[in-house]
Amino acid sequence: MGSRKQVVTGLQPLHLQIQQEATYARVAQARSSSNFFTVIFSPTDYESKSSGIHIHPPNFLLHNQISFAENHIDSGAKAKYTNGSKTNEGTGSAYCILKNYGIIASWQGKLDLRNLVFEAEILAIRMTIEAASSLHRPIKIWTDSLSSLMAILNPKSHHSMVREIQTLLLSHKDIHLRWLKAHVGYLGNECADQLAKEAITKGDPFLLPKPLSYLKSEIKSAALSIWQDNWDNGETGCSTHDIVPRVSNKPVGWNREEIMFVTGHGPFPAYLHRFNLRTHDNCSCGEKGDPMHYTTKWFTSSYIKLQQCHLNYSVVEKHSHEQLIKNPTLTPNVFHM
C-alpha cells in the first residue's frame, strides 16, 4: 500500500507494525531491553506478569481473611483504612490509623502519573499489611477498593504485588481485609481518601514499575513519531500531505471517491500510465489526465467512459486540492454523475 493511502486509511506501514509487536514481546515477555529505532525500552521500567499458580490451591484459604459483608461502624475504636487516588496531576496512595476519631498514624506515597489507581489501592493495602505484620494480634484493614479485594482473592492473579499480598496474608492469619462502601460518610475512609489526594503532591516519592499498558502506548507513540517523520520527508504523496499533514491511527473519514481524488489512485490516465496500463498519461483532450484535470475541466459519467463537458472552470481551477476537498461546492461533482 502506498504511503498516501496508509495515511488516509490510518494504517501504519507494515514494518512499523511488525517492529512494535516484536519490541513489546521482547520487553514484556522476554524481559530484555529493546531498541525501537532510536528509542530504548527497558523491562525494569515496566511491571512483570508472573505466570502459573504460586500458592497450592488447597492452601489458598484467603476467603477466611477477606470479607465484603461485615458492616462498618464508626465507634472510635482503633482501625486502619487504605485508599488510592488519581487525577490529572498524578497518583497517590495512603493509609491511616484512627483512634477516638483522630488520626494517630499515616503513610502517604506519591506515585508516577502513569501509575493506575488500582496500583495505588493495592500498594496502600500492602504497606498497611507490612506495618501491621509485627503486631501479632487480630487486625482489620478497611478498604473501599472492591477490585483490589477481588484481585487478592484470585489464586491465578499474575500481578506481582497482588501475589505479595496473598503471601503476606497467608503468613499472618490474624490480619483481615474488609470492604466498606465509599463516600457514605465513614470517617476513616474519608480521611484515607483525603490523604491519598494530598499524596499526589505531598507524598513520599514511591517508584513503581509502569503498567504494561503504558509500554504499548509508548511504543505506539514512538512508531507514530517515526511514521510522521517519514511522511514529512517522503518523496511521494506531497499533494496529500498538503491536506493531511499529520498521520494518525484513525482514518480520515473520506469516502472512496474523495480518496481517489486526493491520492490520485483511480481510473486516471496519469495513474494507469505509471503501471504500463496505458501508453501515455494524456486525456483525450491532450492534457495530462490527473484528478485535478477531470475535477476542473471534465465531468465523468462513469469510471471508464469520460464525457467532455463545457464548463466555465476559471473559478474552480485556482483552488488548491485542500480547498476543493474541504469545500465541495467549489468543485463539480465529478464522481457522482
Side-chain angles (χ1 to χ4, degrees):
M1 183 183 291
S3 60
R4 65 181 75 189
K5 278 193 175 180
Q6 290 171 333
V7 172
V8 170
T9 57
L11 295 175
Q12 284 191 18
L14 184 59
H15 73 281
L16 287 180
Q17 296 183 44
I18 295 173
Q19 187 69 13
Q20 285 181 77
E21 295 297 326
T23 301
Y24 181 83
R26 283 193 290 265
V27 177
Q29 299 169 14
R31 305 300 293 176
S32 61
S33 295
S34 179
N35 287 11
F36 189 84
F37 296 91
T38 59
V39 183
I40 301 175
F41 293 96
S42 173
T44 57
D45 294 334
Y46 304 93
E47 66 178 349
S48 61
K49 294 290 186 180
S50 304
S51 59
I53 297 176
H54 72 120
I55 298 173
H56 194 49
N59 299 327
F60 195 88
L61 303 173
L62 289 180
H63 60 276
N64 296 325
Q65 293 173 255
I66 298 177
S67 173
F68 303 91
E70 183 173 341
N71 291 327
H72 179 271
I73 300 175
D74 280 331
S75 63
K78 191 174 182 179
K80 302 178 186 293
Y81 301 87
T82 71
N83 219 312
S85 181
K86 183 177 178 65
T87 68
N88 293 333
E89 297 179 3
T91 310
S93 178
Y95 75 75
C96 62
I97 304 174
L98 265 66
K99 185 177 181 181
N100 296 326
Y101 305 105
I103 298 176
I104 61 173
S106 65
W107 169 85
Q108 294 173 285
K110 178 182 180 180
L111 280 61
D112 191 277
L113 175 63
R114 291 165 290 191
N115 288 121
L116 308 175
V117 67
F118 172 79
E119 294 175 301
E121 299 274 10
I122 284 290
L123 175 62
I125 292 173
R126 192 193 75 178
M127 297 296 289
T128 311
I129 294 173
E130 289 179 348
S133 61
S134 61
L135 301 179
H136 304 293
R137 59 180 176 80
I139 292 173
K140 291 180 183 178
I141 299 173
W142 295 89
T143 177
D144 63 13
S145 177
L146 188 61
S147 60
S148 296
L149 296 183
M150 294 300 292
I152 295 168
L153 278 172
N154 180 12
K156 298 180 181 180
S157 174
H158 299 304
H159 197 285
S160 57
M161 197 183 308
V162 169
R163 290 191 168 203
E164 292 173 10
I165 292 173
Q166 292 169 340
T167 301
L168 281 170
L169 287 175
L170 291 173
S171 301
H172 300 86
K173 297 186 180 298
D174 50 0
I175 298 178
H176 298 262
L177 300 181
R178 295 290 184 265
W179 177 78
L180 79 170
K181 193 173 182 179
H183 307 303
V184 292
Y186 294 130
L187 178 61
N189 180 251
E190 297 298 332
C191 289
D193 182 58
Q194 183 61 35
L195 288 172
K197 287 181 169 63
E198 293 176 358
I200 293 173
T201 55
K202 300 178 181 179
D204 297 326
F206 199 100
L207 182 62
L208 280 182
K210 293 176 285 188
L212 290 178
S213 59
Y214 273 94
L215 172 60
K216 283 189 174 182
S217 66
E218 288 174 344
I219 294 175
K220 185 179 293 186
S221 177
L224 204 62
S225 176
I226 293 169
W227 187 17
Q228 181 66 56
D229 185 64
N230 292 341
W231 180 233
D232 291 337
N233 299 295
E235 297 180 356
T236 61
C238 295
S239 60
T240 307
H241 187 281
D242 292 339
I243 304 172
V244 189
R246 304 297 301 174
V247 300
S248 171
N249 292 318
K250 297 181 180 179
V252 295
W254 296 338
N255 61 34
R256 181 172 178 267
E257 290 78 12
E258 290 168 335
I259 292 175
M260 286 197 302
F261 168 67
V262 174
T263 63
H265 294 185
F268 308 108
Y271 181 71
L272 298 176
H273 177 63
R274 288 171 52 192
F275 300 96
N276 297 318
L277 298 177
R278 284 179 62 100
T279 57
H280 57 80
D281 63 0
N282 291 337
C283 171
S284 60
C285 69
E287 296 188 26
K288 185 175 181 179
D290 58 15
M292 284 298 290
H293 171 70
Y294 290 108
T295 302
T296 59
K297 300 182 180 180
W298 292 66
F299 278 134
T300 98
S301 59
S302 69
Y303 293 125
I304 304 300
K305 183 180 178 182
L306 302 178
Q307 179 181 355
Q308 188 172 14
C309 180
H310 300 288
L311 295 173
N312 180 2
Y313 57 85
S314 58
V315 175
V316 177
E317 65 180 350
K318 68 182 181 181
H319 293 287
S320 67
H321 276 66
E322 182 176 9
Q323 290 172 314
L324 291 173
I325 199 68
K326 288 183 177 180
N327 189 353
T329 60
L330 297 175
T331 310
N333 199 1
V334 300
F335 296 109
H336 296 283
M337 292 297 293

